Amino acid sequence: IQSGTLTYTVKKGRARVMRGPGDAAALVRVIRAGQTARIRTGQWLVEQPSNHHRAANNGKRPVVILLSNLLRKNAKPSKLLP
């Protein structure tokens, strides 16, 4: 999250919330199915393809997300749902 605060709910699976550069990242917390957490500026998520989640900006400031996907060769990216 580059700026703002993202409200993130895990429906299935889990997501690891990290902080710091990728080669020296620190685990902030794990969000498990049924849990909701706020992802703050400077934090980032690690998700797996089997995860299902919902995310929202419930604050007054815009949330800016930098997104990176690692996909298997010829794999289709996941779909965004309304």
Side-chain angles (χ1 to χ4, degrees):
I1 303 297
Q2 188 175 38
S3 63
T5 300
L6 183 71
T7 300
Y8 188 90
T9 302
V10 174
K11 299 291 186 176
K12 177 183 173 189
R14 66 185 178 112
R16 292 183 294 149
V17 180
M18 311 295 287
R19 181 173 199 79
D23 60 350
L27 178 67
V28 174
R29 68 183 161 283
V30 175
I31 309 168
R32 291 179 168 50
Q35 296 179 328
T36 297
R38 290 188 181 105
I39 313 303
R40 301 182 192 289
T41 299
Q43 296 178 342
W44 48 279
L45 293 157
V46 178
E47 303 172 324
Q48 298 300 319
S50 59
N51 292 1
H52 294 199
H53 70 274
R54 296 264 185 217
N57 178 4
N58 292 333
K60 294 181 181 179
R61 294 183 49 213
V63 175
V64 177
I65 301 170
L66 303 178
L67 177 66
S68 176
N69 286 322
L70 297 175
L71 302 171
R72 294 180 189 262
K73 186 175 180 179
N74 299 320
K76 295 180 181 178
S78 56
K79 296 178 182 178
L80 293 176
L81 301 174

